[in-house]
Amino acid sequence: MTNPLPRILIEPIIRAALLEDLGHAGDITADAVIPASATTRVAFIARDPGIIAGLDCAALAFALLDPSLILNIHIPDGSAVHPGDTIATIEGNARAIVSAERVALNFLGPLSGIATATNGIAKSIAHTKARITCTRKTTPNLRALQKYAVRCGGGANHRFGLDDAILIKDNHIAIAGGIATAIARARAAAGHLVKIECEVDTLDQLAQALRAGADAILLDNFTLPALREAVALINRTAIAEASGRITPQTAPAIAEAGVDLLSAGWLTHSTTVLDIGLDFLP
Amino acid sequence: MTNPLPRILIEPIIRAALLEDLGHAGDITADAVIPASATTRVAFIARDPGIIAGLDCAALAFALLDPSLILNIHIPDGSAVHPGDTIATIEGNARAIVSAERVALNFLGPLSGIATATNGIAKSIAHTKARITCTRKTTPNLRALQKYAVRCGGGANHRFGLDDAILIKDNHIAIAGGIATAIARARAAAGHLVKIECEVDTLDQLAQALRAGADAILLDNFTLPALREAVALINRTAIAEASGRITPQTAPAIAEAGVDLLSAGWLTHSTTVLDIGLDFLP
Amino acid sequence: MTNPLPRILIEPIIRAALLEDLGHAGDITADAVIPASATTRVAFIARDPGIIAGLDCAALAFALLDPSLILNIHIPDGSAVHPGDTIATIEGNARAIVSAERVALNFLGPLSGIATATNGIAKSIAHTKARITCTRKTTPNLRALQKYAVRCGGGANHRFGLDDAILIKDNHIAIAGGIATAIARARAAAGHLVKIECEVDTLDQLAQALRAGADAILLDNFTLPALREAVALINRTAIAEASGRITPQTAPAIAEAGVDLLSAGWLTHSTTVLDIGLDFLP
Amino acid sequence: MTNPLPRILIEPIIRAALLEDLGHAGDITADAVIPASATTRVAFIARDPGIIAGLDCAALAFALLDPSLILNIHIPDGSAVHPGDTIATIEGNARAIVSAERVALNFLGPLSGIATATNGIAKSIAHTKARITCTRKTTPNLRALQKYAVRCGGGANHRFGLDDAILIKDNHIAIAGGIATAIARARAAAGHLVKIECEVDTLDQLAQALRAGADAILLDNFTLPALREAVALINRTAIAEASGRITPQTAPAIAEAGVDLLSAGWLTHSTTVLDIGLDFLP
Amino acid sequence: MTNPLPRILIEPIIRAALLEDLGHAGDITADAVIPASATTRVAFIARDPGIIAGLDCAALAFALLDPSLILNIHIPDGSAVHPGDTIATIEGNARAIVSAERVALNFLGPLSGIATATNGIAKSIAHTKARITCTRKTTPNLRALQKYAVRCGGGANHRFGLDDAILIKDNHIAIAGGIATAIARARAAAGHLVKIECEVDTLDQLAQALRAGADAILLDNFTLPALREAVALINRTAIAEASGRITPQTAPAIAEAGVDLLSAGWLTHSTTVLDIGLDFLP
Amino acid sequence: MTNPLPRILIEPIIRAALLEDLGHAGDITADAVIPASATTRVAFIARDPGIIAGLDCAALAFALLDPSLILNIHIPDGSAVHPGDTIATIEGNARAIVSAERVALNFLGPLSGIATATNGIAKSIAHTKARITCTRKTTPNLRALQKYAVRCGGGANHRFGLDDAILIKDNHIAIAGGIATAIARARAAAGHLVKIECEVDTLDQLAQALRAGADAILLDNFTLPALREAVALINRTAIAEASGRITPQTAPAIAEAGVDLLSAGWLTHSTTVLDIGLDFLP
């Protein structure tokens, strides 16, 4: 099971999302239409197959609105669901359940969508040593949650921000005046626990990056033959990451070329939600 | 042109997104590799056709990191772009430009994706009186921006939260014990500037809602014949909104059934980014 | 009973108010003078007749400072009190009770003052169909609480902000170049759940606004005869709101003119507190 | 002229008030009705005589919404106005001016109301050595502004919170077991720059408080003869503050009794706004 | 025992410190290495003799990360410890304990260091009437905690900020044009519960300050003979505070000169941590 | 020169520190004593030799309080100063300068103290390949600034939080059941840009950690002979970090043992301020 994020990290996000939805005056529909004392019991039901992520967020949405709601998790984050599966049930004050429903689903659906998409690629390359990883192309202010969803889907995480690893890209190289200079400067400045990755477009650049001692190489948009040649050149002296056009269809061949990682930005910016409904139980 | 959101509304979101990416210590790659005094000039270039939204956010990301950067907008929010078009140029300190790039694109790409998808449907129903609208199925804490992107794409906005209109759904009706009761309670509680919409699944429910005086009707998953019958029944005494399976393919026929609005949750939770790149100019 | 505001909405306000009062170092008087282990029992006692509002806020002030305090509510928000009535009792650590007292009363007194003033007008027009409503002339950052107090007093709420309804005033009309233009522009821009109200100063303007299809009309400072004429002209095709010089004395005649609403800014900016004391029980 | 509050102290309050009013989506009326490029010129005009306070806040409301607005202050905070006086003019983008107007007035009106009421009493006791002062009975989260308004009106400030001075009230005395004990404990705990004031209800209590060395005495609800006797007893060995039923009518006699201060809670919780309008200039 | 600070005051600081350490993704070491269900029991053990301060903060760090942890305090804030003493024990989830450990110690060690240093001076002057006090030379955003640590060590507190007392220094005097003018202006502006202290460098300045009626005098860097002369001159008509070169070595003689207070900035900016370890119990 | 931290990262900290000092009402001394229009010119003067850090913070304190102040930096962060050197001058409104002075110095003094202490060790080991580095034993909520000060002093940075590198300590090893298991679990969980460091107390543990493939080894409290043996054993296959009793006296011998890094917690929790004064210029 995927390690949960600490509540102290996610609570401010969920709280803000509830306040965004409650607006000036709260849920005027529920307040008007549902008696204050009415109780109900609901279930999150999977409509499509996939991997669950964000259930802790959804649960917290209910708990923050009404701590007396009782929530039972049947299928925790990181688990597979099939259509019709009951993911969790919530029981208690009807107004609170109805008011928190949309916010809860706005976390659960998209994060499960990311986990599911990640898992699709992870499964397609399971016969290789390669892993699928995400990028910094994430939804603003939801990166920690989206990277967590990638882990729920069986993916690995790339760096979390501009601060926790050095990734030298084409523009850095151009401004620095070459790969060797760029990596040398990075090495001089980096703390001893900071790794240096260098993006390369050609085998010639690759050779330069290896000579300069990069810890990892980002092979951007290499053809399959070039990728195989690159892996041979790297020869396990650095981590090999392939990026560009990674889909469940293209992934197996790219992974089979011998790289350690496939990275895909679309996992966190262009996936569709996993269809999950909130059904009222009789 | 779409009315821009006030800076005071969007600045906290952009600021938080920059801080999320800068993390503990800022952009350690740019700081190490790029000389402090280096300057550069870059351009946002469209790779795919679409509608721009979020350029104000992207511009603010650069301005918040370095107010001395000079930004020229060529194609403002709400405008169409074609592959190769220069959307905007930025000039100034190279470190600042490189450091803000990803955050800027993390707003611009997804918001333009929403605008583009919205516009696709808007154009497909332009021959009818119907408009395409979004829902509350939005990304947590980005609702105002996503609804703005919908407007950029030519769409209309549904309510912004639980507080600014009454929308009575199936669960409310079930708990309240019927459509008539629910609408009556809503009418009694609502301020005089608050409209009441009621979701119905059948023509019988529709008749009840009309009798109870709903201002708008959400016709959920009606077949085309049922939709036409519903529109006839409503007969302009309430606003008619159709929801369920709205795509550029299905939209024209649904719109031609005579409804006022088509609403689609996927516009704000399952669209792909518009592909926009940041190219360094010579 | 008035629907309470969700705790998640009001807690940040109460918390900030406690921090404002605690300042750098907390309650240095209580810390110095009262033994840490002393306990006490106190009661909120009404000194004047009125309607209670803000008791939830007051209770939260105590709970946020010391969750172990026991609070019993005798007369909840929205209820009438008479001089001498015990509104609530609090029992527990004496320092905490003494330290939270002033903040609690700073919510309870003014909000009950608003509820009481609202109720005074509400009762004076109870024989008509009209309701008393508030405006956006509220205390900065306390609007949700003050509008809640108006509801506690039996009043209705006008719009909550600039975003949840369209209210076209004289200045808008002047800049737009006329009522017809202004309302047409508003209609084109408004979402389908947004109502449009138009302020008018004369019967001629009223006729224009009605022709342009306003949902509601704000009849500003009309004489009683003009008001009656206006109501006849409107003839239930729009909501009729009267504003200007609304007091418990003037309200009945204005309401009897047939309008739907009387709006009064002074309810939220110029009312006096309801006198409530905190008595220590033996 | 009253010393202005630093912008860093008031900006968060004004910013929050704007966001409260802008809500989800900003000023949908101005955006719809007023052309983006329209400009206008407006003036704050006094409708009633009084003392101005809060003009800095009002100015900041405009500046935060649109820094390009040009604001000219004619009558600064702390000055007297007469009906018809132009307090300030604002010129620039019409949408921004219209959108910020209400928030600006929601500061300016009530704060000027406090300044005006304070000034009324201040003038009535100007022939004595006494000053009028406020209390901690302030509007939650606006205390610094309200105390500033009191200064604008010519009043003095009491302590700002629970932390900056010791004020021993009846309940403290009761729990501590007597005035002597309470003051002794306070003296032992207080820093050397912290003054100790003690509330007394009788001349006997006053004698105890003086013996115990209180720096200031709060004479609560004393009759005029008792007040005179108290002042004689104090004989300038402590500061004498009178509280209870302080109005412009009662103030002169109370002040003439020889006290140093009159304190009145209603100045900050039960004053009416000073009537100020925003007129559009031709 | 020192009065604890209210949780509402310190929680935001502890919460922020945890978030600072958890960064993007939480404790990746504990999450990887320690099983989710592992429990443990640890103890804070004193390695050096000293006075404890900050245990409430440390306890809150654990409680905020995992409310189910059980914490037993053996030696509360303000108490003396000897090497080997068990200060507190914590029991529960191993990951949570390990993750919160450093933040807890980052409060406990430095604050106990301040308390210990303060106590060292306090003990050295215990035979005089003088007390040791701190200044505003504190760590940004930790002033309330550091001043609390001074109290834990037996010290007194100087003013908490620029707002709660008037302290006229050499620069104020120079700009104002003299001590008499400066104190007169201060007296005219100060509320009745605000004391005025004046810094003086010479006996002549002291005489001026006393004539002007200062409540307290800051004798800056006076020699011992001059200090004795100053105390005689003051003759209990004002509080006498000595500052400059206050150490455990110099303090007794300075205190014996008869001053009321010794103030030392280094207590809060240049003390070393009290060495406290977190040992895992078998 | 050390790369500055982005203003967006440090501004919230400086702003909070100003608000902490301004408290309820701002600088009541300056407001009372200094005329509003008075201007002055001051200089930060070094009283002791050292390395400057935090001048950007100090400058921002002045700028946030009054953007019109003119600040000239003579000796930037990371540079050496000698007693009497003018570090920077500030010119403008006297009240603003006096009010911001203490906050500015509360950043500048302690951060320069850290830079100076770091530099002392850095110079003492300059003849070796070793670098001095800090730890996570930092002041709560000031870690980024303190790590920056370490860089200003010529030191290197260890990890910034629990999230950006894996550091397996004795407690992790004990709970995991051994070094091999702990490192294996860490490797399986770590992203490809995350390094793994392992703390060891003995040469036997070192051998285990090397076999398990640790990227870096923390040699805790090794004797000099053991340290030399450890360096030989590591033989450049991992980074060697020595910790425990690192002082300017002990550092050279430890560095000469051949380690890559010396880490010292006291740099960030137990250094004294660099003595810097703010002198008023004639």
Side-chain angles (χ1 to χ4, degrees), chain C residues 223-240:
Chain C
T223 60
L224 283 178
L227 211 53
R228 279 187 287 266
E229 205 170 333
V231 169
L233 233 134
I234 294 173
N235 193 21
R236 296 175 187 273
T237 61
I239 295 158

Side-chain angles (χ1 to χ4, degrees), chain D residues 7-278:
Chain D
R7 178 174 162 150
I8 200 175
L9 269 186
I10 63 173
E11 186 181 316
I13 302 169
I14 319 294
R15 190 178 289 275
L18 283 166
L19 290 174
E20 182 190 54
D21 204 24
L22 293 168
H24 299 279
D27 186 346
I28 59 174
T29 305
D31 280 356
V33 170
I34 299 178
S37 60
T39 58
T40 191
R41 202 165 143 256
V42 302
F44 285 118
I45 306 289
R47 307 258 192 259
D48 276 327
I51 304 292
I52 294 300
L55 194 51
D56 286 350
C57 297
L60 197 47
F62 289 101
L64 286 173
L65 201 61
D66 183 348
S68 75
L69 295 178
I70 296 163
L71 192 129
N72 282 299
I73 292 182
H74 298 217
I75 300 177
D77 280 2
S79 309
V81 283
H82 305 92
D85 281 357
T86 295
I87 301 164
T89 58
I90 306 120
E91 189 165 358
N93 183 271
R95 279 188 188 169
I97 288 174
V98 160
S99 296
E101 168 187 354
R102 174 51 36 216
V103 169
L105 283 169
N106 284 348
F107 284 99
L108 184 57
L111 292 175
S112 297
I114 290 173
T116 302
T118 304
N119 195 245
I121 295 189
K123 280 201 266 190
S124 79
I125 59 174
H127 61 293
T128 72
K129 68 164 183 183
R131 297 197 67 188
I132 176 73
T133 187
C134 50
T135 68
R136 280 170 49 247
K137 297 177 182 174
T138 54
T139 302
N141 304 319
L142 294 182
R143 185 174 289 166
L145 291 177
Q146 292 189 323
K147 297 232 166 198
Y148 165 78
V150 166
R151 295 197 298 277
C152 287
N157 285 159
H158 216 291
R159 60 177 181 161
F160 276 78
L162 291 163
D163 64 320
D164 60 336
I166 287 184
L167 177 45
I168 301 172
K169 298 197 192 167
D170 49 359
N171 297 326
H172 297 108
I173 295 168
I175 301 173
I179 285 179
T181 310
I183 292 182
R185 285 183 188 161
R187 185 65 69 201
H192 71 285
L193 292 182
V194 175
K195 283 197 185 172
I196 296 171
E197 180 160 8
C198 185
E199 179 183 328
V200 299
D201 297 324
T202 64
L203 291 169
D204 179 58
Q205 282 191 319
L206 170 58
Q208 293 176 49
L210 290 175
R211 268 197 305 277
D215 296 307
I217 305 287
L218 176 52
L219 304 155
D220 193 35
N221 275 312
F222 273 53
T223 61
L224 282 178
L227 211 53
R228 279 187 288 265
E229 206 171 334
V231 169
L233 232 133
I234 294 174
N235 192 23
R236 296 173 187 274
T237 61
I239 295 159
E241 173 186 351
S243 76
R245 297 152 299 113
I246 308 293
T247 66
Q249 286 70 45
T250 63
I254 295 172
E256 287 160 8
V259 295
D260 300 291
L261 290 151
L262 282 63
S263 61
W266 66 269
L267 290 178
T268 49
H269 67 55
S270 292
T271 41
T272 56
V273 293
L274 180 67
D275 193 359
I276 296 169
L278 194 78

Side-chain angles (χ1 to χ4, degrees), chain A residues 21 33 136 143 171 280, chain B residues 21 33 136 143 171 185 280:
Chain A
D21 205 23
V33 171
R136 279 172 47 248
R143 185 173 289 165
N171 297 326
F280 280 66
Chain B
D21 205 24
V33 170
R136 278 171 49 247
R143 185 172 289 164
N171 297 325
R185 286 182 187 162
F280 280 66

Side-chain angles (χ1 to χ4, degrees), chain E residues 21 33 136 143 171 185 280, chain F residues 21 33 136 143 171 280:
Chain E
D21 205 23
V33 171
R136 279 172 48 247
R143 184 172 289 165
N171 297 326
R185 286 184 187 160
F280 281 65
Chain F
D21 204 24
V33 171
R136 279 171 48 247
R143 185 173 288 165
N171 297 326
F280 281 65

Side-chain angles (χ1 to χ4, degrees), chain C residues 16-17 20-21 24 26 28-29 33 102 106 136 138 141-143 162-163 167 171-172 185 269-270 273 280, chain D residues 16-17 20-21 24 26 28-29 33 102 106 136 138 141-143 162-163 167 171 185 269-270 273 280:
Chain C
E20 182 191 54
D21 205 23
H24 299 279
I28 58 174
T29 306
V33 170
R102 174 50 37 216
N106 284 349
R136 279 172 49 248
T138 54
N141 303 319
L142 294 181
R143 185 174 289 165
L162 291 163
D163 64 319
L167 176 46
N171 297 326
H172 297 108
R185 285 183 188 161
H269 66 55
S270 292
V273 293
F280 280 65
Chain D
E20 182 190 54
D21 204 24
H24 299 279
I28 59 174
T29 305
V33 170
R102 174 51 36 216
N106 284 348
R136 280 170 49 247
T138 54
N141 304 319
L142 294 182
R143 185 174 289 166
L162 291 163
D163 64 320
L167 177 45
N171 297 326
R185 285 183 188 161
H269 67 55
S270 292
V273 293
F280 280 65

Side-chain angles (χ1 to χ4, degrees), chain C residues 45-69:
Chain C
I45 306 288
R47 308 257 190 262
D48 276 328
I51 304 292
I52 294 300
L55 195 50
D56 287 350
C57 298
L60 198 46
F62 289 101
L64 285 173
L65 200 61
D66 183 347
S68 75
L69 296 178

Side-chain angles (χ1 to χ4, degrees), chain F residues 79-112:
Chain F
S79 309
V81 284
H82 305 92
D85 281 357
T86 295
I87 301 164
T89 58
I90 306 118
E91 191 167 356
N93 183 272
R95 278 187 188 169
I97 288 176
V98 161
S99 296
E101 168 187 354
R102 175 50 37 215
V103 169
L105 282 169
N106 284 348
F107 283 100
L108 184 57
L111 292 175
S112 297

